[in-house]
Amino acid sequence: MGQPLRVASTSEQSPDSPAEPQSAQDSPRQAPTLTIVPPNPIEAAPQSDRSRTRRGFNMAHPLQIRMLSQVIIYSAIIFVLLAIPVFKPLMQALDNPALSWQERAVVANDLLNLHARFWPWALGAGLVVLIHCIHSIRLMHRVAGPLARLKQVFPQVGNGNLCVRTTLRQGDYLTPEVDLVNQMTVQLHSKITALKHVQVLLALDATRIRELALAKEDPALASLAKQMEQNLSGLKSSLDTFKTHSG
């Protein structure tokens, strides 16, 4: 990745010494040098916060609510489908008028015994469903968390902030996808920074061309330098919409 450059003057005039005017014909103007700015800390270690564990759950993601609803609905359907074939024959036998009261008493006794055996099993199955729901929430939280972070990062990148990076908690899923997004942002950051460097160099060249046109009194060259400066000004305005340094 290229490092950002800043224009710095090659020489400074002492306040105690008188100024010495020089004409453009006698000595050409020395081009400013470019000072290397140290890289941003955010680019050096974008993944340093990945191992950080965040406690607590974020706001429920629609995907979490949808998955939890599906688990509860399908569990209720299975519970009803298992209960119908168990209780329906005995309930129909109690409503049969052809049976005597002794036979109905036997059926009622069987129904009570079945209830005594069924509800502990039903409570155990309900406990398993509850554990499954909690596990599903935790599992989907590991997916919804990265999605929520990417949802926050995408608008910033769209607005031109190329210094933003997505960090995950320990144990989160979608790690390869988040790495690809961070890699994409780093590549865009590098290319935009390189374009800004080229724009600075071209602006210096345009300044030299304008000074040369003034020295030679060449209208065509002066017009070319003016047009070049206007184009570079538009390019600079477009590149300034991208944030390539922190702060």
Side-chain angles (χ1 to χ4, degrees):
M1 182 188 301
Q3 295 178 339
L5 305 179
R6 293 180 182 173
V7 178
S9 177
T10 56
S11 62
E12 297 182 357
Q13 183 177 356
S14 174
D16 298 333
S17 61
E20 296 181 359
Q22 294 182 355
S23 61
Q25 294 86 352
D26 297 337
S27 61
R29 181 180 178 182
Q30 186 176 2
T33 59
L34 298 177
T35 304
I36 298 178
V37 180
N40 299 327
I42 192 173
E43 299 175 14
Q47 304 295 333
S48 59
D49 296 335
R50 172 169 294 173
S51 59
R52 180 179 58 188
T53 301
R54 297 181 182 177
R55 296 182 179 179
F57 290 91
N58 297 330
M59 184 178 297
H61 194 275
L63 182 61
Q64 291 176 276
I65 299 176
R66 188 180 307 171
M67 291 296 297
L68 181 60
S69 301
Q70 290 182 359
V71 170
I72 295 176
I73 291 174
Y74 281 112
S75 299
I77 292 174
I78 293 174
F79 183 81
V80 172
L81 292 178
L82 290 176
I84 288 177
V86 173
F87 289 97
K88 186 177 180 180
L90 296 177
M91 298 297 293
Q92 289 177 346
L94 286 177
D95 294 335
N96 188 2
L99 295 178
S100 63
W101 67 268
Q102 293 89 351
E103 293 174 340
R104 291 186 181 182
V106 174
V107 173
N109 188 33
D110 293 339
L111 183 60
L112 291 176
N113 292 332
L114 182 60
H115 270 283
R117 296 192 303 268
F118 178 79
W119 288 114
W121 173 88
L123 292 177
L127 181 60
V128 173
V129 171
L130 179 61
I131 296 174
H132 179 55
C133 292
I134 296 175
H135 181 72
S136 298
I137 292 175
R138 184 176 179 84
L139 182 66
M140 292 309 303
H141 184 69
R142 297 300 181 182
V143 177
L147 291 178
R149 287 173 176 80
L150 290 175
K151 187 178 179 180
Q152 296 175 356
V153 167
F154 286 154
Q156 298 184 46
V157 176
N159 292 332
N161 186 4
L162 302 181
C163 296
V164 66
R165 300 291 182 268
T166 304
T167 57
L168 298 181
R169 299 161 302 182
Q170 185 177 3
D172 276 347
Y173 296 155
L174 302 181
T175 301
E177 289 75 12
V178 171
D179 288 340
L180 288 176
V181 173
N182 288 333
Q183 183 180 358
M184 174 197 68
T185 309
V186 170
Q187 292 176 354
L188 287 175
H189 183 281
S190 177
K191 292 179 180 179
I192 294 299
T193 303
L195 288 176
K196 287 185 177 182
H197 296 171
V198 174
Q199 185 271 329
V200 171
L201 296 177
L202 291 177
L204 295 176
D205 293 340
T207 302
R208 297 190 190 99
I209 294 175
R210 178 170 53 82
E211 293 177 353
L212 182 61
L214 293 176
K216 293 186 177 182
E217 298 181 354
D218 189 345
L221 192 59
S223 177
L224 178 62
K226 182 178 180 180
Q227 183 65 32
M228 186 176 179
E229 289 177 347
Q230 291 177 355
N231 295 335
L232 290 174
S233 177
L235 178 61
K236 184 179 183 300
S237 299
S238 299
L239 293 176
D240 286 342
T241 59
F242 295 96
K243 180 182 178 182
T244 55
H245 61 278
S246 59

